[in-house]
Amino acid sequence: LKGTKVHAVNLEYNEIGDAGAKDFAANLQGTQVRTVNLEHNQIGATGARDFAVNLKGTQVHTVGLSLNQIGNDGVREFASNLKGTQVC
């Protein structure tokens, strides 16, 4: 995605799981991506946390994570790691 003008990425229903969420976010550095949809991807609490951590320094401001297996603890971890990101 680096060097492109892509602003939105929809990876819904791709079963990327925790490792995929983390790796994907790490590769958003230096891109123009602002919106990411990761719904229905078997992402758990660890993946949500790691995804948020890796959003620091990106232009992403909107994230769709519904219908994953994040749970209440994962939501808290995700939210607490958004400090320093543009996600609103």
Side-chain angles (χ1 to χ4, degrees):
L1 293 171
K2 290 180 183 170
T4 71
K5 294 182 181 189
V6 173
H7 292 259
V9 177
N10 182 359
L11 294 176
E12 187 175 13
Y13 288 103
N14 279 287
E15 300 179 18
I16 65 172
D18 290 344
K22 178 182 178 182
D23 291 344
F24 177 66
N27 284 289
L28 291 172
Q29 298 291 327
T31 72
Q32 294 184 32
V33 175
R34 293 178 179 89
T35 303
V36 176
N37 180 6
L38 296 178
E39 296 174 1
H40 292 279
N41 270 294
Q42 299 177 351
I43 298 168
T46 301
R49 180 200 63 220
D50 293 344
F51 183 77
V53 167
N54 283 288
L55 289 179
K56 290 178 176 80
T58 71
Q59 294 186 37
V60 174
H61 59 71
T62 304
V63 178
L65 287 172
S66 68
L67 301 167
N68 283 290
Q69 293 77 41
I70 296 168
N72 292 337
D73 291 337
V75 170
R76 281 189 286 277
E77 286 284 323
F78 177 75
S80 70
N81 283 289
L82 289 177
K83 186 180 277 185
T85 74
Q86 295 185 36
V87 176
C88 50

